[in-house]
Amino acid sequence: MDDLGAVSWPPAPIRTERLVLRAPEARDRAAFVALLTSPEVNAYLGGPRARDEVERGLPAAPEQWPGSFAVESDGAMIGQVLLRRATGHRRPAAAGKLDLGYLFLPQAWGFGYAAEACAAALDWLAGVLPGEPVVLTTQSANAASMRLAAKLGFTEVERFEAWDAEQWLGMRSPGR
Ligand SMILES: CC(C)(COP(=O)(O)OP(=O)(O)OC[C@H]1O[C@@H](n2cnc3c(N)ncnc32)[C@H](O)[C@@H]1OP(=O)(O)O)[C@@H](O)C(=O)NCCC(=O)NCCS
């Protein structure tokens, strides 16, 4: 995966009805540690990382790169939306395409925040890199992620085996 490359970054914060999407900041560090170490968040992502290792390895200010959005609710980070270029994706249908990923803290699940944030990020993406499809890969057993993908307008391209599980590759056409 590569970042989005030559887009203007960071953009002005993106405000939705309930959320703000913005570049990550030093004050988000605890939320990043929680995302990386949560067993629930990482249940379909290869498992959580060890807290002491993450605490040691994570820089004081989170890495900033074009396409990495912190999602904020009531002044605190609740999740991350990742827009990248799927360079080297193992499936030819996805290789080189724009790619969406999302991670939210368990206490923020079930309120429609992920859907609201991802829709806003996809709108932003369509503005800065218009006319391109977006792909998304998730384990097909990840029911919440599968529901979110469908809600956002992704449709199935194929399923494939990788990382010891069935993966679902979805695509969202431009101009939706
Ligand atoms: C995948 C993930 C982001 C989904 O989060 P989520 O909170 O379930 O997703 P949504 O934002 O779509 O919200 C879902 C529920 O909120 C409920 N909800 C409550 N209030 C709502 C509102 N105001 N608007 C919309 N939905 C609302 C809905 O009932 C919805 O349930 P449904 O999907 O059954 O209809 C979350 O499970 C996660 O972070 N998982 C770990 C990371 C991961 O696996 N990522 C995938 C790898 S790409």
Side-chain angles (χ1 to χ4, degrees), residues 18 41 45 101-104 108-115 137-138 142 144-145 147-148 151:
R18 299 177 292 175
V41 172
L45 300 172
Y102 35 74
L103 305 161
F104 282 74
W109 296 359
F111 299 102
Y113 291 143
T137 305
T138 186
N142 190 346
S145 178
R147 272 201 308 281
L148 176 57
K151 229 179 288 178

Side-chain angles (χ1 to χ4, degrees), residues 12 47 71 76 87 116 121 136 138 142 156 161:
V71 180
T87 317
E116 189 171 319
L136 181 163
T138 186
N142 190 346
E156 180 171 325
E161 286 294 322

